[in-house]
Amino acid sequence: GLIDKQGKEIIALQYEIAGNFFGGLLPVYKNKKWGFVNIKNEIVIPFNFEDIGDHRKYNESGYNKNGIWFFQVQKKYGGKIEYINKKGKTFKLVEDVKD
């Protein structure tokens, strides 16, 4: 779940794991898959990924050279690494990520 600085519940306890908000999205894990929700707990990117990158690590998430948000994902754990944009579209290379 998620609470604000005053301790008010923003997102109820419902996910097995939640990452940190990054670029307006929260990576969350449920039923053995990762997806992304916004601050209103609306699913922005469906639960389609077995593994995701860590936004604190270089080249696993951030903004590419064109200033486009990306996150590293794997549809199958240990499988091919891809990058997604905020709309959930996947790209093979981080440099190719577009809105």
Side-chain angles (χ1 to χ4, degrees), residues 53-96:
D54 182 342
H55 81 278
R56 296 165 293 190
K57 292 183 179 177
Y58 175 74
N59 206 34
E60 290 189 3
S61 65
Y63 297 92
N64 70 10
K65 65 182 180 183
N66 297 318
I68 307 298
W69 179 97
F70 74 89
F71 220 95
Q72 184 185 88
V73 296
Q74 292 175 313
K75 291 181 182 167
K76 293 188 110 182
Y77 187 77
K80 178 176 66 168
I81 291 174
E82 296 180 292
Y83 301 90
I84 57 169
N85 65 11
K86 283 189 174 184
K87 296 176 184 171
K89 183 175 179 186
T90 58
F91 300 84
K92 290 181 181 180
L93 302 173
V94 67
E95 299 85 23
D96 295 337

Side-chain angles (χ1 to χ4, degrees), residues 14 24 37 39 44 51-52 77 89 91:
Q14 59 190 291
V37 298
I39 193 74
V44 177
D51 197 20
I52 61 169
Y77 187 77
K89 183 175 179 186
F91 300 84

